[in-house]
Amino acid sequence: HALRMGGGASSKTQVTPALAVATRGNGAHFAMGGYSSALTQYAAQQSFADGLLMVSAGAASTSVFTQNNLTFGLYPPAAVYHDNPLAAIAAAAADVDANQPPASAATDSQSPCFAGGGGCLASLRVGFIQADTLFAKSQCANGEALGAKHGFEVARDGAGVALIVTIPKAPTDTNEVDDALRQLRDAGVNVLVGCTYLSTTKAIIAALERLHWAPPPP
C-alpha cells in the first residue's frame, strides 16, 4: 500500500489538478481530503470524475456531499451545528417559566424574559448572522427550522422571510458589520446566532460593543 499526497494551495483552481496528480496513475482506490467545505466542493467533483471515493476530514456543508454519491465526511452536518445550543437556551427559558408565573415583571437578571408577557420562552426572538462562505451559510440555512423546532419566534424581514444577515468572513468595514447588526436589533432579536469563524466573531463582538447592544441570555 502506498500513500500519495498533494496540496491545493488553498485555491479552488489548484485543488482539482493537485488531486488528479496525486491519484491518477498511482493505483489509488480512494481520495482523502483535508480541506474545508469550499475546497472539498471542487475536490469531490474531481474524485467523482475519476470514479474514486472521496472521504473528507474537514468539510461539513451538506451540498458537498449531495452533489454525488461517492463523497463522504467525518463531521456532523453543518445544518445541525446550532441544534444543541438552541435547545439549551429553550430549556433554560422553559425552566424560568416553570418557576415563575408568566405575569411577573421582568428583572434585570431575567431580561428579556417576561419582557413582553406570556412567559420567558415566548419573549425570545432568534435572528442569524452569517459569514459569506459556503460552510457558514450551510449552518444558517437550517436556522429557521431549528428555531421553530425549539419554540422560538424567528425574526423576519419586510418580505416575511427569516432574517439572516450576511457579512464577509474577515470584515474590514466596521460600518458593514454595524449595519447588519442594526437590522437584527431593529427586528427585536434577543437571541443572536452566528454562523461564523473566529475572524467574523471578533468583528461581531466589536460591533456589539460599538452599538451598546448585547442580546442577553434568558
Side-chain angles (χ1 to χ4, degrees), residues 28 33 42 53 58 105 154 160 183 209:
Y42 295 93
L53 179 79
V154 177
Q183 293 182 56
E209 293 180 348

Side-chain angles (χ1 to χ4, degrees), residues 79-130:
V80 302
Y81 274 22
H82 296 295
D83 192 7
N84 287 342
L86 287 174
I89 295 172
D95 186 60
V96 172
D97 287 337
N99 290 283
Q100 185 167 340
S104 299
T107 65
D108 289 341
S109 63
Q110 292 175 327
S111 180
C113 283
F114 301 101
C120 182
L121 183 57
S123 71
L124 301 182
R125 181 177 296 172
V126 64
F128 304 87
I129 184 167
Q130 64 185 8

